[in-house]
Amino acid sequence: MENADKPIPADIDVTVPHSARIWNYWLGGKDNYPVDREASAHFVEIYPGIIDVARSVRVFLGRAVRHLSEDVGIRQFLDIGTGLPTVDNTHEIAQRVAPESRVVYVDNDPLVLVHARALLTSTLEGKTDYIDADVRDPDAILRAAAETLDFSKPVALVMLGIMGHLSDDEDPWSLVHHLVNALPSGSYLVLSDGANTSKARETAHERYAETGAVPYHLRSPQQIERYFEGLEFLEPGVVPVSLWRPEHSPFGTPAAVDTYGGVAHKR
């Protein structure tokens, strides 16, 4: 049943498309509305590759969190800009490996807040929490996250597809560095963002902004690398997310997508 048949919370504007709801639609979710599906159709018409991008980012999240949980032993995750819950959310991946894992989600979208209960499920040994906060206020995020996470021990900071919502004038690089600087030695940054490596994608985002939706700023791979300054990259560095340690497939290496990401270690 589509969301159009469900009651709409008063603080959710369904007259303007919203990126979290559109992303949810691309991943096969039902937490979206006709305006989102219409915007999606126009976007896909210009840039069909966005479906592969959305799915590749989700798979990248799974590979990165599994690696940090299984191979590195990280037991704490701070996931900022989590978006709407779908399959294999961060806490599900981490707690499948280590039930004692603690995960804090951060978002400021009212629809995400409505669905926060879905994110708050947890194993008895671990804990999951949700913070209603904006990435532009990193200190507020850190204060609230400290109620669940122990910042004397390593934390994996997860930021997928969120920094593109900030303009260059807002200096998104400083915001990420501020958050990373608050983490102890042994922590990790997992980050991805849309890249300006496709003219079709740039055009699609320009048309999307014309609908009145919050713009998404694509950046060069080199600009995305700047988020990791001062950190030590895990191989293969910042690459199209579909090419970050892809799992073996009889169909060969996956195609590169126009979202770049990486994982890096804080010494």
Side-chain angles (χ1 to χ4, degrees), residues 8 92 112 142 177 179 184 194 237 247 260:
I8 300 173
E92 294 169 321
V112 175
L142 293 166
H177 298 158
L179 289 162
E247 296 170 351
Y260 278 61

Side-chain angles (χ1 to χ4, degrees), residues 16 29 33 38 41 57 59 61 67 88-89 92 112 118 123-124 163 176 185 194 229 232 245 252:
V16 176
Y33 297 93
E38 182 180 354
V57 170
V59 175
L61 170 69
H67 172 71
D88 270 356
N89 300 291
E92 294 169 321
V112 175
T123 58
L124 293 176
M163 302 316 293
V176 173
S185 175
E229 284 180 357
E232 182 179 275
R245 303 191 178 192

Side-chain angles (χ1 to χ4, degrees), residues 199-222:
K199 183 60 180 176
R201 185 172 184 180
E202 290 186 83
T203 300
H205 279 280
E206 289 168 3
R207 300 282 177 83
Y208 174 72
E210 291 171 0
T211 67
V214 176
Y216 188 92
H217 305 276
L218 299 172
R219 295 190 167 96
S220 69
Q222 293 74 26

Side-chain angles (χ1 to χ4, degrees), residues 75-77 102 104 145-155 182-184 187:
R75 297 294 178 260
Q76 301 189 109
F77 294 82
R102 290 178 167 242
V104 172
E147 296 181 12
T148 300
L149 306 179
D150 180 355
F151 281 97
S152 70
K153 298 178 181 178
V155 175
L183 303 180
S187 293

Side-chain angles (χ1 to χ4, degrees), residues 164-185:
H165 292 294
L166 279 64
S167 68
D168 286 359
D169 290 341
E170 294 176 282
D171 196 357
W173 300 278
S174 290
L175 287 170
V176 173
H177 298 158
H178 186 100
L179 289 162
V180 170
N181 288 340
L183 303 180
S185 175

